[in-house]
Amino acid sequence: MHVSYHPDYVIPLPEGHAFPMRKYPILRERLLAEGLLFEDELHVPGEVEWDTVALAHDASYLDKLRDGTLSEAEQRRIGMPWSPALVRRARLAVQGTIDAALAALDSPERIAANLAGGTHHALPDAGEGYCTLNDVAIATRWLQREGFVSRVLVCDLDVHHGNGTAQIFAGDERVFTFSMHGAKNFPMKKPPSSLDVPLADGVGDAEYLALLAEHLPQAIARAEPELVFFLGGVDVVAGDRFGRLALTEGGLAARDSLVIETVAGMAIPLCLVLSGGYARTAERTAELHASAHREARRWLRARGFR
Ligand SMILES: [Zn+2]
């Protein structure tokens, strides 16, 4: 299974910053240690071309990002201070998602992953909520332009609504956006996805899994996708600092398994990306992100892959 990873997914942040930047290398190490990832499956992405980024973002925003002329307010909206490293990190993560999507389309496993990405709050003209560039949106537009796919399903199970992705693909019949998210959670303004399933605070395993089992097959039927992106945010788990839901670790595994079995079971290529997770420690966050890989590997091993 192709897994995109770059050491420069990690950048320094100001002391005490809420974003668990260390989760990326910890996840990589953990997957290797658990036998859920092999060194020869790791692929190092380059920085995505600006022309490619422009398939999903406005030139005025990209100019400011490239030149370091974002206002204080625009940087606060991203939630991370501008630096050349921040821009490089975002471009690496976008290319990591493109590479993983291509691998999902090309490889016999039909599943691939980026150990970053899922930055779904990035809007056409602004970064927001720790999201600088919308990797899944850019990847989708690039794959369409290059003729690799036409129809795509974005299955966004991060606890936060996929506002950027919804806005970028509004009115686009070829890209189906499916978001299950906390109704009262960030972002306050939620442009409609193709299918939104808003959840009350405190929703637990049984209700969550029943809603997913009901809506995911509908989303696939309506999308008729040639590729599925799965944003497997782990901020749905109880105790998450920003999540407000109450899934258990077992519930998370059941969620990931349900998505993988449903999509891969229909032989639709599947690209896994991280999105959010804000457990008490970066170690715990990484441990939860390992769930999707554990379930993907279980599915593949049952079919004779390593
Ligand atoms: Zn989130």
Side-chain angles (χ1 to χ4, degrees):
M1 175 166 108
H2 168 116
V3 176
S4 301
Y5 179 84
H6 198 296
D8 294 345
Y9 285 172
V10 180
I11 60 168
L13 288 176
E15 188 73 28
H17 196 282
F19 189 84
M21 193 57 81
R22 291 190 308 118
K23 75 178 184 178
Y24 302 102
I26 297 171
L27 174 61
R28 175 186 177 279
E29 289 314 309
R30 188 180 178 94
L31 294 177
L32 287 167
E34 257 195 70
L36 298 173
L37 172 63
F38 302 95
E39 292 277 1
D40 62 353
E41 295 179 314
L42 282 163
H43 296 266
V44 180
E47 293 181 23
V48 68
E49 301 282 347
W50 284 108
D51 285 354
T52 303
V53 178
L55 295 170
H57 292 282
D58 296 349
S60 56
Y61 172 55
L62 298 183
D63 286 346
K64 287 185 271 188
L65 203 54
R66 193 174 41 223
D67 302 340
T69 53
L70 292 168
S71 69
E72 287 294 326
E74 287 168 322
Q75 293 180 61
R76 268 198 306 278
R77 192 171 176 190
I78 293 175
M80 296 176 183
W82 183 91
S83 67
L86 178 84
V87 177
R88 173 171 160 77
R89 165 184 194 268
R91 292 175 66 193
L92 293 171
V94 172
Q95 190 63 48
T97 294
I98 291 175
D99 293 349
L102 275 177
L105 290 164
D106 271 352
S107 65
E109 292 102 324
R110 291 204 183 94
I111 303 179
N114 184 11
L115 297 189
T119 40
H120 57 167
H121 299 310
L123 298 143
D125 61 349
E128 183 174 288
Y130 304 148
C131 301
T132 310
L133 297 173
N134 196 314
D135 60 307
V136 165
I138 297 164
T140 296
R141 287 291 188 231
W142 184 84
L143 290 164
Q144 288 176 324
R145 189 190 70 183
E146 299 299 312
F148 289 104
V149 296
S150 174
R151 303 184 64 83
V152 170
L153 168 63
V154 181
C155 176
D156 186 343
L157 301 186
D158 185 277
V159 82
H160 301 102
H161 180 260
N163 58 326
T165 319
Q167 187 162 323
I168 289 166
F169 293 119
D172 187 331
E173 293 291 312
R174 298 174 304 165
V175 182
F176 193 97
T177 52
F178 168 43
S179 178
M180 268 178 64
H181 52 269
K184 292 184 187 160
N185 210 326
F186 177 90
M188 289 309 117
K189 201 172 142 215
K190 300 176 177 67
S193 311
S194 310
L195 175 59
D196 279 313
V197 179
L199 306 166
D201 287 355
V203 162
D205 293 349
E207 189 181 345
Y208 186 96
L209 293 168
L211 284 167
L212 180 60
E214 177 191 346
H215 290 289
L216 178 60
Q218 289 177 21
I220 294 171
R222 289 171 61 189
E224 299 176 29
E226 296 148 76
L227 173 68
V228 175
F229 288 99
F230 175 27
L231 285 74
V234 296
D235 41 14
V236 292
V237 173
D240 187 273
R241 286 177 286 133
F242 300 149
R244 299 163 69 156
L245 296 192
L247 268 68
T248 64
E249 212 170 329
L252 179 72
R255 178 198 76 169
D256 295 339
S257 168
L258 179 57
V259 173
I260 290 160
E261 302 235 345
T262 304
V263 174
M266 296 172 78
I268 304 167
L270 176 61
C271 179
L272 310 174
V273 295
L274 289 197
S275 61
Y278 311 93
R280 238 165 283 287
T281 63
E283 284 77 8
R284 175 68 179 154
T285 303
E287 186 182 318
L288 294 173
H289 277 306
S291 161
H293 285 260
R294 200 170 294 120
E295 298 309 318
R297 199 59 78 162
R298 195 195 313 280
W299 197 90
L300 288 172
R301 284 186 177 147
R303 279 148 193 87
F305 295 100
R306 71 172 165 171

